[in-house]
């Protein structure tokens, strides 16, 4: 499970939404969400698969674009104004999402060993996607497979 998650809003640049039961990516109004996971126990084992699992609670034609970001935030204080910018390289994209369905996003490329993984998710859709947060009924999950 994530250690932190939150959504941020461009139209409320100083507000925090870290305790909300949803995380949201939308383009009208502009909302992004952030996720942070602490990966440990891998040691020198090679990661063969890393899947981010999200449970959709609101449908959208675009489930979001996923980027790495700095881990210099926490859900209690992150706002639009102080959130770290996303990297320039998109690591994954999710198409249409329906309510009540788990979605898996392949983020194997960003899990290289023990450490912190921080993601920022945006959407080009004005009908954005909402997912259950760690405070919600079906929190995000990071499922990692590795060689022994």
């Amino acid at each position: 499970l994530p250690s932190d998650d939150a959504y941020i809003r461009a139209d409320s640049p100083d507000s925090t939404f870290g305790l909300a039961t949803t995380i949201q990516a939308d383009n009208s109004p502009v909302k992004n969400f952030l996720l942070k996971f602490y990966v440990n126990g891998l040691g020198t084992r090679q990661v063969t698969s890393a899947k981010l699992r999200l449970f959709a609670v609101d449908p959208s034609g675009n489930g979001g674009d996923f980027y790495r970001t700095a881990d210099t935030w926490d859900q209690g204080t992150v706002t639009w104004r102080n959130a770290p910018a996303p990297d320039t390289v998109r690591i994954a994209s999710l198409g249409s999402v329906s309510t009540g369905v788990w979605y898996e996003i392949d983020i194997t490329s960003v899990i290289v060993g023990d450490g912190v993984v921080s993601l920022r998710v945006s959407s080009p859709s004005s009908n954005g996607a909402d997912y259950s947060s760690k405070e919600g009924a079906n929190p995000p999950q990071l499922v990692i497979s590795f060689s022994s």
Side-chain angles (χ1 to χ4, degrees):
L1 300 177
S3 62
D4 295 86
D5 65 7
Y7 74 89
I8 52 176
R9 293 180 63 130
D11 64 346
S12 298
D14 297 312
S15 297
T16 60
F17 301 97
L19 296 178
T21 58
T22 61
I23 46 178
Q24 307 171 14
D26 201 326
N27 200 36
S28 182
V30 176
K31 300 176 197 171
N32 291 179
F33 68 84
L34 298 114
L35 291 163
K36 186 188 299 185
F37 293 90
Y38 287 92
V39 176
N40 58 46
L42 290 175
T44 59
R45 291 176 235 166
Q46 180 179 348
V47 173
T48 57
S49 171
K51 305 285 186 191
L52 172 63
R53 297 188 74 229
L54 297 173
F55 187 81
V57 296
D58 186 59
S60 176
N62 186 300
D65 294 326
F66 295 75
Y67 299 85
R68 283 203 74 163
T69 192
D71 64 5
T72 56
W73 62 276
D74 69 73
Q75 71 178 32
T77 59
V78 71
T79 66
W80 185 270
R81 193 176 311 279
N82 68 18
D87 284 354
T88 56
V89 177
R90 183 177 64 197
I91 58 171
S93 187
L94 188 58
S96 272
V97 296
S98 299
T99 301
V101 177
W102 281 98
Y103 291 91
E104 289 188 347
I105 301 92
D106 184 352
I107 62 167
T108 306
S109 64
V110 302
I111 309 294
V112 294
D114 293 339
V116 180
V117 176
S118 184
L119 303 171
R120 183 166 173 167
V121 183
S122 60
S123 176
S125 174
S126 60
N127 177 17
D130 296 4
Y131 302 96
S132 182
S133 74
K134 73 184 196 94
E135 289 79 18
N138 296 290
Q141 303 170 355
L142 179 58
V143 180
I144 301 173
S145 300
F146 52 87
S147 61
S148 50

